[in-house]
Amino acid sequence: MRWLQSHREILFFWTLFLFSRLLFLGRLPIFNDEAIIIYLSRVVFVNPSHWILLAIDGRQPLFGLTIVLGQLLPVAPLIGARLTMVAWSLVTFGVSLALARELGLSARARRFYALSLIVCPYLLFYDRMALAESPIVALSVLAMLVTIKIIRRPSVGMGIILGATLGIGWWYFSLILLLVPSMLILIIAYGIR
C-alpha cells in the first residue's frame, strides 16, 4: 500500500508541474529572442543550406533543431516551440527530484522541494519560453546528478554519460562548459577526503 501512495504522490506532483507549465502557454508575451529563433529555425528547416544563419545569430544548431521539431506539431509555431521547452522543463523537474533523492533528502524535504520547483515564479515563467535556458538547465542538472554518482562510485560508464551530457549541452548552448571547472573541483575535493 505504501508503494501505491508514493506513486500516486509522484503522479500528482508531475501532473501539477505539467499543468502549471501548460496553463496560459499562448498568453505569455512573445520575446524578441523567441521570435528570431522560431523564424531562423523555420528558414533552416525549409532550406538546410542556411545553417549559417543560426551561427551568425549566435545560436547553436541543436537548439534550432529542437525548435523546428516543436513547429512540426499541429499547433501554432510559437506554441509548438514553447511545448518543446515545457518538455525540457519536465526533464529538469524529474532529474532535480532524482538529484534530491541522491543527496539523501527526506521524503518530506523532497515534497517541499518539488512544490517549490512548481510554484517558483522565475521557473514558472522561463520554463515556458522558447529560449535555450530550458535544455541547458535540464542538461546541467543531469550533469550534476552524474557527477555526484561518479563521486560516490566512479565508473567509466558514468564518465561517458557525463561527457555525452556536456557534449549535447554544448550543441544547445556553449555556456554549459562553465560547469566543467566546478565539477572538477567537486570531484577533486571529494577525492582528497
Side-chain angles (χ1 to χ4, degrees), residues 84-122:
T84 58
M85 296 305 113
V86 168
W88 273 109
S89 67
L90 199 59
V91 170
T92 303
F93 183 68
V95 174
S96 295
L97 294 179
L99 181 62
R101 179 177 228 143
E102 185 71 27
L103 292 174
L105 270 72
S106 68
R108 187 177 198 164
R110 286 195 310 264
R111 280 187 217 108
F112 180 74
Y113 180 61
L115 196 57
S116 298
L117 288 174
I118 292 169
V119 299
C120 176
Y122 181 79

Side-chain angles (χ1 to χ4, degrees), residues 103 147-148 150-152 182-193:
L103 292 174
T147 302
I148 297 294
I150 287 173
I151 288 170
R152 295 215 170 131
S182 60
M183 289 186 301
L184 288 174
I185 290 170
L186 259 176
I187 291 171
I188 291 168
Y190 274 93
I192 292 172
R193 255 179 55 186

Side-chain angles (χ1 to χ4, degrees), residues 1-2 51 54 61 64 110 113 120 139-140 142 156 166 168-169 178:
M1 192 62 154
R2 196 173 183 148
W51 275 105
L54 287 172
R110 286 195 310 264
Y113 180 61
C120 176
L139 292 167
S140 297
L142 181 61
V156 174
L166 292 174
I168 291 168
L178 291 177

Side-chain angles (χ1 to χ4, degrees), residues 70-85:
Q71 292 179 8
L72 296 176
L73 297 172
V75 293
L78 177 66
I79 300 298
R82 287 181 175 176
L83 281 173
T84 58
M85 296 305 113

